[in-house]
Amino acid sequence: MDLGEIEARLATFVREREWEQFHTPENLAKSISIEAAELLEHFQWGDEPDLGELRNELADVITYCILLAKKYDWDISEIVSSKIAKNEAKYPVEKSKGNSKKYDRL
Amino acid sequence: MDLGEIEARLATFVREREWEQFHTPENLAKSISIEAAELLEHFQWGDEPDLGELRNELADVITYCILLAKKYDWDISEIVSSKIAKNEAKYPVEKSKGNSKKYDRL
Amino acid sequence: MDLGEIEARLATFVREREWEQFHTPENLAKSISIEAAELLEHFQWGDEPDLGELRNELADVITYCILLAKKYDWDISEIVSSKIAKNEAKYPVEKSKGNSKKYDRL
Amino acid sequence: MDLGEIEARLATFVREREWEQFHTPENLAKSISIEAAELLEHFQWGDEPDLGELRNELADVITYCILLAKKYDWDISEIVSSKIAKNEAKYPVEKSKGNSKKYDRL
């Protein structure tokens, strides 16, 4: 199943439940943060996470990301690809090799 | 460009900078939360977000999601698809139609 | 300076800038998440945080917490104190000693 | 009960459960983000939050803030007070009145 099919299946899931009304860009942005924190909770005390649960939480984050992208008709591959291009410029290899500093501190 | 190509390009970007050492699952999970909050910041006071910036922030969240999935060799389409199946069971159409309640309060 | 004086000074700061209009409970809740992530950013890659910056980020989180509590006329000491009482019941010493498990998994 | 008494009670609660070992600054920072998102969840779909639950979530965020401040022997009132002073300089009344823009965009 590719990303286009996933988007179609998600759209059906949402439409059948009449949930479009709740999915404003702002509510989706909040939802991404909320699900991201549920993902982080699996690493809260430094233990090994349960991978089955982790997988579900990651899927939730990505699901809301797909729904938000869809709101603006953004293609996931395209926006990630164009952000990588920006990061290649912000983080030149010679300056950032082996270095986790933020670009404005390089 | 499809998701597989994006993953390959991301992997190259990371390898050239020798950043694999920073990308533990826990650090990636923190990064997802951090970027999710930067996305949310565009909705902090209820104004219309700048779409160019929003697009970049969303790409950042997705990028870290892809990197985390890669750590466990999870296929993005597959984990989202199997989570949709779970949600179809948790949120039956007849109970959740037009209703934003969480499954444990339906 | 005690907490009551801090609250008074914050209220003046907000009133002088006519920012009450932005401080709905929801916007304050978003702001707490956003500032919490800025705090977390200092631990993103596992380095030692800059303590001066960390201190400022923590102050920002607490500031929005105080402002949200004020919206409902909640006394910070009282709500924390009553939550500790709840946690004492949820996490009995004998069960949770040396154990970071969540109460529903004890 | 004032903030000093709260801190003492919290310290006892933590010590009795031998939880100091889990409370590294980084784990506390993650915990603040996690609890902040649980607070935000009450505003996820724009409904009126349940105030009893909201109060508990806010108390959880503040609790972890107090524990993190304690790690560095920071006085809550003092760090908030000195951050307000910084914000007074960053957000001059004449420029920021009725305006929610960030200081670097004023």
Side-chain angles (χ1 to χ4, degrees):
Chain A
M1 195 174 266
D2 73 7
L3 212 50
E5 292 172 88
I6 293 291
E7 287 177 2
R9 191 163 166 199
L10 258 180
T12 303
F13 176 83
V14 170
R15 195 177 47 245
E16 285 177 349
R17 283 154 190 80
E18 299 178 359
W19 282 357
E20 298 94 339
Q21 58 185 311
F22 306 122
H23 290 180
T24 62
E26 179 170 340
N27 287 355
L28 294 171
K30 282 182 277 173
S31 301
I32 292 171
S33 266
I34 291 165
E35 297 296 342
E38 292 187 8
L39 179 74
L40 185 60
E41 202 178 342
H42 292 270
F43 297 97
Q44 186 170 13
W45 306 116
D47 298 322
E48 277 305 303
D50 175 296
L51 294 189
E53 294 176 14
L54 194 68
R55 203 183 126 111
N56 284 332
E57 299 298 356
L58 182 58
D60 284 338
V61 181
I62 298 169
T63 295
Y64 283 121
C65 288
I66 292 172
L67 291 171
L68 182 56
K70 201 72 194 161
K71 282 279 152 185
Y72 298 107
D73 272 319
W74 292 336
D75 177 81
I76 296 280
S77 298
E78 193 190 308
I79 68 173
V80 173
S81 162
S82 95
K83 189 62 199 329
I84 297 174
K86 283 195 180 70
N87 283 343
E88 284 168 343
K90 268 161 98 175
Y91 295 96
V93 171
E94 63 279 12
K95 275 191 169 177
S96 41
K97 203 176 207 165
N99 181 341
S100 66
K101 285 210 187 72
K102 234 182 146 169
Y103 67 93
D104 53 3
R105 301 188 178 194
L106 279 178
Chain B
M1 196 174 269
D2 74 8
L3 211 49
E5 291 172 89
I6 293 291
E7 286 176 3
R9 190 164 165 196
L10 258 180
T12 303
F13 177 82
V14 170
R15 196 178 45 246
E16 285 177 350
R17 283 155 190 78
E18 299 178 359
W19 281 357
E20 298 94 339
Q21 58 185 312
F22 307 121
H23 290 181
T24 62
E26 177 170 341
N27 287 355
L28 293 171
K30 282 181 278 174
S31 301
I32 292 170
S33 266
I34 291 166
E35 297 296 341
E38 293 187 8
L39 179 75
L40 184 60
E41 202 178 340
H42 291 271
F43 297 96
Q44 186 169 14
W45 306 116
D47 298 321
E48 277 305 304
D50 174 296
L51 293 189
E53 294 176 14
L54 193 68
R55 202 184 128 112
N56 283 332
E57 299 298 355
L58 182 58
D60 284 337
V61 180
I62 298 169
T63 294
Y64 283 120
C65 288
I66 293 173
L67 290 171
L68 182 56
K70 202 70 193 163
K71 283 278 152 185
Y72 297 108
D73 271 319
W74 292 335
D75 177 82
I76 296 280
S77 298
E78 194 191 307
I79 68 173
V80 173
S81 161
S82 95
K83 190 63 199 328
I84 298 174
K86 284 195 179 71
N87 284 344
E88 284 168 343
K90 269 161 97 174
Y91 295 96
V93 171
E94 63 279 13
K95 274 189 170 179
S96 40
K97 203 176 208 165
N99 182 341
S100 65
K101 283 209 187 74
K102 234 182 145 168
Y103 67 93
D104 53 2
R105 301 190 177 192
L106 279 178
Chain C
M1 195 175 267
D2 73 9
L3 212 48
E5 291 172 89
I6 293 291
E7 288 177 1
R9 191 163 164 198
L10 258 180
T12 304
F13 176 83
V14 170
R15 195 176 47 246
E16 284 177 350
R17 283 155 189 80
E18 298 178 358
W19 282 356
E20 298 94 339
Q21 59 184 312
F22 306 120
H23 290 181
T24 62
E26 178 171 338
N27 287 354
L28 293 171
K30 282 182 276 174
S31 301
I32 292 170
S33 266
I34 291 165
E35 297 296 341
E38 293 187 7
L39 179 75
L40 185 60
E41 201 178 342
H42 292 271
F43 297 96
Q44 187 170 11
W45 306 115
D47 298 321
E48 278 304 304
D50 175 295
L51 293 189
E53 293 175 15
L54 193 69
R55 202 184 127 114
N56 283 332
E57 299 298 356
L58 181 58
D60 284 338
V61 180
I62 298 169
T63 294
Y64 282 120
C65 288
I66 293 173
L67 290 171
L68 181 56
K70 202 70 194 164
K71 283 279 152 185
Y72 298 107
D73 271 320
W74 292 336
D75 177 82
I76 296 279
S77 298
E78 194 190 307
I79 68 173
V80 173
S81 162
S82 94
K83 189 63 198 328
I84 298 174
K86 282 195 181 72
N87 283 343
E88 284 167 344
K90 269 161 97 174
Y91 294 97
V93 171
E94 64 279 11
K95 276 192 170 177
S96 41
K97 203 177 208 165
N99 181 340
S100 65
K101 285 210 187 74
K102 234 181 145 170
Y103 67 94
D104 53 4
R105 301 189 176 191
L106 278 178
Chain D
M1 194 175 269
D2 73 9
L3 211 49
E5 291 172 89
I6 292 292
E7 287 176 0
R9 192 165 164 197
L10 258 180
T12 304
F13 176 83
V14 170
R15 195 176 45 247
E16 284 177 350
R17 283 155 189 80
E18 299 178 358
W19 282 357
E20 298 94 339
Q21 59 184 311
F22 306 121
H23 290 180
T24 62
E26 178 171 341
N27 287 354
L28 293 171
K30 282 182 276 174
S31 301
I32 292 170
S33 265
I34 291 164
E35 296 297 340
E38 293 187 8
L39 179 75
L40 185 60
E41 202 179 341
H42 291 271
F43 297 97
Q44 187 170 12
W45 306 116
D47 298 322
E48 277 304 304
D50 175 295
L51 293 189
E53 293 176 15
L54 193 69
R55 202 183 127 114
N56 283 332
E57 299 298 356
L58 182 58
D60 284 337
V61 180
I62 298 169
T63 294
Y64 283 120
C65 288
I66 293 173
L67 290 171
L68 182 57
K70 202 70 194 164
K71 282 280 152 183
Y72 298 108
D73 271 321
W74 292 336
D75 177 82
I76 296 279
S77 298
E78 195 191 307
I79 68 173
V80 173
S81 163
S82 93
K83 189 62 199 325
I84 298 174
K86 282 194 180 71
N87 283 343
E88 284 168 343
K90 267 160 99 175
Y91 295 96
V93 171
E94 64 279 12
K95 276 190 169 178
S96 41
K97 203 176 207 166
N99 181 341
S100 66
K101 284 211 187 72
K102 234 180 144 169
Y103 67 93
D104 52 3
R105 301 188 177 193
L106 278 178

